[in-house]
Amino acid sequence: MRLMQEEMIEEEREVESSSGCGSIVELGFHERSKKVVVVGYALTSKKIKSFLQPKFEGLARNKGIFFVAIDQTRPLSDQGPFDIVLHKLSGKEWQQILEDYRLTHPEFTVLDPPDAIQHVHNRQSMLQDVAALDFSDAYGTVGVPKQLVIEKDPSSISNAVKKAGLSLPLVSKPLVAKSHELSLAYDEYSLEKLEPPLVLQEFVNHGGVLFKVYIVGDAIKVVRRFSLPDVSKRELSRSVGVFRLPRVSSAAQSADNADLDPCIGELPPRALLERLARELRRRLGLHLFNLDMIREHGTKNRFYVIDINYFPGYGKVPEYEHIFTDFLLNLAKSKYKKRSTSIP
């Protein structure tokens, strides 16, 4: 399969070379040449299966985009050349591999920088940029729930919660965002049953509906998911213990076609999402991520971001194939234009 891909790409490059325009980078997007964008990917087998679906690969190939698997045991310079490297990796070793490749291929684009990915893998730092925005405009406000990081010693959690002024119930999440396990703690005496390192986040009643805001460059797509039901004061007073929760944003929990109260199911204003996404792209240094947002129940325009995920499950998003291929083509075109203007 990989050999066939390389042969097809080589054939496309030969067509371009025969036009007298030179390499793919020099060719750019000349009107008379065939556009070819080579995207190297370093993804898990699970991500490859969900993301590189046949329909997507077929559409991409028809638009001149070729996906090539990266062998992480070999130098990138022995593979490619790549116009774009698409990955979901972090760590100093991988970052050094990318930096070494950039020395000889300064024109390539990496989606996204490993250090920026690492920033959103840690739930202590993940929402700092949202909080720092202090976002408010005519369409609403966007904040983050009060939260507390517990790195060790479960017996100290109760006092730490009181000191921080957090209100029950509390959602417990692993400190490292690679795990999606959640728990809901109803009373302070059960907090010591939790297993640090973790983040405790105040639970905000939101009508049982979550908005997943998928961001691909400048493009935004929003889908509804059923979430945790509201917790009444009466229920809180009568409930004790820590309850492990299912992954509430799974594809099976889609609420897009549900008959919802408009006060609960109405999507956040488009203008608000566009401005929020633009600010977070700049602050986070990422092109590919999604926000888990909720609307505080009983309000029209008070929203909270409760999680950020890098390179989420785009395969679940309607029409993601077109969104992603347009993004890759625009990214390559923008890169070529910048290169062209820099040539004297």
Side-chain angles (χ1 to χ4, degrees):
M1 181 67 180
R2 180 184 175 87
L3 182 59
M4 289 178 61
Q5 286 179 321
E6 291 176 346
E7 289 175 348
M8 292 173 66
I9 294 169
E10 188 60 35
E11 288 177 4
E12 296 291 346
R13 292 188 187 278
E14 288 175 359
V15 170
E16 291 174 330
S17 297
S18 66
S19 69
C21 296
S23 70
I24 184 172
V25 175
E26 293 167 342
L27 264 170
F29 285 75
H30 191 278
E31 291 180 0
R32 296 182 181 179
S33 66
K34 187 172 179 61
K35 307 176 183 66
V36 175
V37 179
V38 182
V39 180
Y41 63 88
L43 305 169
T44 64
S45 57
K46 182 179 179 182
K47 177 62 74 173
I48 292 170
K49 184 178 180 180
S50 66
F51 177 67
L52 291 177
Q53 298 178 21
K55 181 180 178 182
F56 176 39
E57 283 202 275
L59 177 65
R61 190 178 300 112
N62 288 338
K63 292 188 175 185
I65 301 171
F66 291 84
F67 292 98
V68 179
I70 290 174
D71 182 349
Q72 296 177 50
T73 65
R74 297 167 54 206
L76 289 183
S77 56
D78 293 346
Q79 303 176 65
F82 304 114
D83 301 294
I84 297 169
V85 169
L86 186 66
H87 74 107
K88 196 173 182 180
L89 304 175
S90 57
K92 293 182 179 180
E93 184 177 347
W94 175 244
Q95 186 162 357
Q96 188 61 52
I97 290 173
L98 294 175
E99 290 175 357
D100 290 344
Y101 187 69
R102 190 179 296 282
L103 292 175
T104 53
H105 300 80
E107 71 285 349
F108 100 109
T109 299
V110 58
L111 294 173
D112 275 307
D115 55 343
I117 297 173
Q118 189 63 39
H119 183 72
V120 296
H121 274 174
N122 186 309
R123 286 197 167 97
Q124 184 172 14
S125 56
M126 174 193 293
L127 300 180
Q128 287 176 349
D129 290 290
V130 181
L133 275 177
D134 194 21
F135 189 98
S136 179
D137 65 12
Y139 298 98
T141 62
V142 180
V144 299
K146 291 177 66 175
Q147 65 177 35
L148 173 67
V149 175
I150 304 293
E151 296 185 349
K152 54 186 179 179
D153 190 8
S155 64
S156 68
I157 296 178
S158 180
N159 287 335
V161 166
K162 291 179 182 178
K163 188 175 180 179
L166 269 63
S167 300
L168 294 162
L170 296 172
V171 179
S172 171
K173 305 178 181 182
L175 183 58
V176 178
K178 291 181 180 180
S179 171
H180 294 278
E181 293 182 1
L182 304 178
S183 299
L184 190 63
Y186 281 93
D187 69 291
E188 61 178 283
Y189 302 106
S190 299
L191 293 174
E192 62 182 31
K193 297 179 182 179
L194 299 173
E195 300 177 5
L198 54 82
V199 170
L200 293 175
Q201 197 175 79
E202 281 191 342
F203 180 77
V204 178
N205 283 336
H206 52 284
V209 173
L210 172 82
F211 304 105
K212 295 194 76 70
V213 183
Y214 291 91
I215 296 165
V216 182
D218 294 331
I220 299 172
K221 187 78 172 181
V222 187
V223 296
R224 299 182 191 87
R225 294 282 186 266
F226 284 119
S227 181
L228 303 176
D230 290 349
V231 178
S232 67
K233 291 183 178 179
R234 181 182 180 185
E235 182 182 354
L236 180 60
S237 66
R238 298 172 61 180
S239 301
V240 294
V242 174
F243 297 87
R244 293 197 178 277
L245 306 171
R247 187 172 176 180
V248 298
S249 60
S250 66
Q253 298 293 322
S254 174
D256 278 335
N257 298 318
D259 184 16
L260 299 171
D261 181 337
C263 294
I264 294 174
E266 182 182 1
L267 296 179
R270 186 75 186 182
L272 179 146
L273 292 178
E274 288 176 350
R275 182 186 161 204
L276 178 63
R278 184 169 59 250
E279 290 288 344
L280 288 179
R281 279 199 310 270
R282 180 179 62 84
R283 285 174 174 262
L284 296 173
L286 298 174
H287 293 81
L288 308 174
F289 61 100
N290 89 302
L291 311 174
D292 286 353
M293 288 184 66
I294 57 175
R295 173 190 285 111
E296 184 173 354
H297 196 191
T299 74
K300 179 175 176 58
N301 58 5
R302 187 180 302 155
F303 300 95
Y304 292 90
V305 175
I306 59 173
D307 223 355
I308 299 177
N309 303 290
Y310 175 67
F311 204 150
Y314 288 114
K316 304 171 188 175
V317 180
E319 300 297 316
Y320 89 97
E321 304 94 343
H322 295 278
I323 295 172
F324 225 98
T325 50
D326 288 347
F327 164 67
L328 293 173
L329 288 174
N330 288 334
L331 187 65
K333 187 174 183 179
S334 173
K335 197 77 173 180
Y336 169 70
K337 284 184 177 179
K338 289 180 180 179
R339 178 177 168 79
S340 297
T341 55
S342 67
I343 299 175

